[in-house]
């Protein structure tokens, strides 16, 4: 499913392609691209739920955290997000790329992914998708995009 999400993000969002595509057309295109139908519908459902996270009435847990609160990860979250990934989330909060609400959106979307293997690079893509979807996070999105495309070689040049 992560492959489909990345494909959709790069094809339609990152490339500024037409965003108003019929869901059936999109599913057909993804089938032609070689993705499995069941995975396609799961990915489209995942994206729909991402859009719904902005509705505070349906997700009140996203709007109730104080800035001084500390996030404790559940055992299931710790199984999905390794130490490096959890540290990266904390780092992004410290540099104001994420706030408590967008952090919770990211964790929510990560936990909804049906995948056995989940790495830091996957987390970066999920963060980018969440930031793109939440209005007012353009600067944070740009920072995250730089972090996503930054190579180890670039890091050592500074």
């Amino acid at each position: 499913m992560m492959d489909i999400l990345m494909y959709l993000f790069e094809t339609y969002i990152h490339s500024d392609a037409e965003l108003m595509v019929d869901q059936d057309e999109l599913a057909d295109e993804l089938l032609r691209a070689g993705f499995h139908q069941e995975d396609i519908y799961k990915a489209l459902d995942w994206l729909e739920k991402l859009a719904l996270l902005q509705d505070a009435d349906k997700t009140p847990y996203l709007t109730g955290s104080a800035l001084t609160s500390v996030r404790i990860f559940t055992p299931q979250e710790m199984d999905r997000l390794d130490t490096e990934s959890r540290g990266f989330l904390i780092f992004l909060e410290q540099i104001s790329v994420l706030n408590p609400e967008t952090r919770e959106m990211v964790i929510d979307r990560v936990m909804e992914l049906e995948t056995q293997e989940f790495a830091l690079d996957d987390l970066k893509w999920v963060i980018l998708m969440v930031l793109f979807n939440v209005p007012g996070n353009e600067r944070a999105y740009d920072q995250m995009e730089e972090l996503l495309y930054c190579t180890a070689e670039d890091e050592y040049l500074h």
Side-chain angles (χ1 to χ4, degrees):
M1 183 164 75
M2 195 67 198
D3 292 340
I4 296 171
L5 293 170
M6 289 170 55
Y7 174 86
L8 288 172
F9 191 75
E10 286 188 326
T11 302
Y12 290 97
I13 307 299
H14 200 261
S15 68
D16 293 328
E18 178 62 39
L19 293 176
M20 299 304 291
V21 176
D22 180 74
Q23 188 167 344
D24 292 331
E25 280 181 40
L26 186 57
D28 289 342
E29 178 186 332
L30 291 168
L31 279 171
R32 287 190 301 273
F35 296 110
H36 298 283
Q37 188 168 16
E38 183 178 333
D39 293 335
I40 292 169
Y41 288 115
K42 286 178 184 177
L44 294 175
D45 183 56
W46 188 94
L47 288 169
E48 188 174 318
K49 288 178 181 175
L50 171 61
L52 291 174
L53 284 178
Q54 293 183 58
D55 187 355
D57 293 336
K58 293 181 182 174
T59 55
Y61 64 93
L62 294 178
T63 58
S65 27
L67 291 176
T68 57
S69 65
V70 175
R71 176 62 156 87
I72 305 296
F73 292 90
T74 67
Q76 296 85 358
E77 292 167 344
M78 290 174 58
D79 285 344
R80 176 63 56 92
L81 295 163
D82 62 13
T83 305
E84 184 179 28
S85 295
R86 293 189 310 267
F88 188 68
L89 285 173
I90 292 168
F91 166 71
L92 291 179
E93 275 192 88
Q94 291 173 339
I95 64 169
S96 299
V97 170
L98 293 177
N99 60 40
E101 288 79 20
T102 53
R103 177 201 62 218
E104 290 304 311
M105 288 178 173
V106 167
I107 293 170
D108 180 87
R109 294 295 76 214
V110 165
M111 296 308 293
E112 287 293 317
L113 288 171
E114 293 184 12
T115 181
Q116 294 299 320
E117 296 182 23
F118 189 80
L120 179 59
D121 286 339
D122 298 327
L123 175 63
K124 289 177 182 180
W125 279 101
V126 171
I127 293 166
L128 201 61
M129 289 179 221
V130 167
L131 290 174
F132 182 84
N133 190 63
V134 179
N137 282 294
E138 291 79 13
R139 187 182 68 75
Y141 174 86
D142 291 340
Q143 286 179 284
M144 188 60 219
E145 193 173 40
E146 286 179 33
L147 289 170
L148 180 66
Y149 293 113
C150 181
T151 63
E153 189 175 298
D154 292 338
E155 292 175 21
Y156 295 118
L157 292 176
H158 301 290

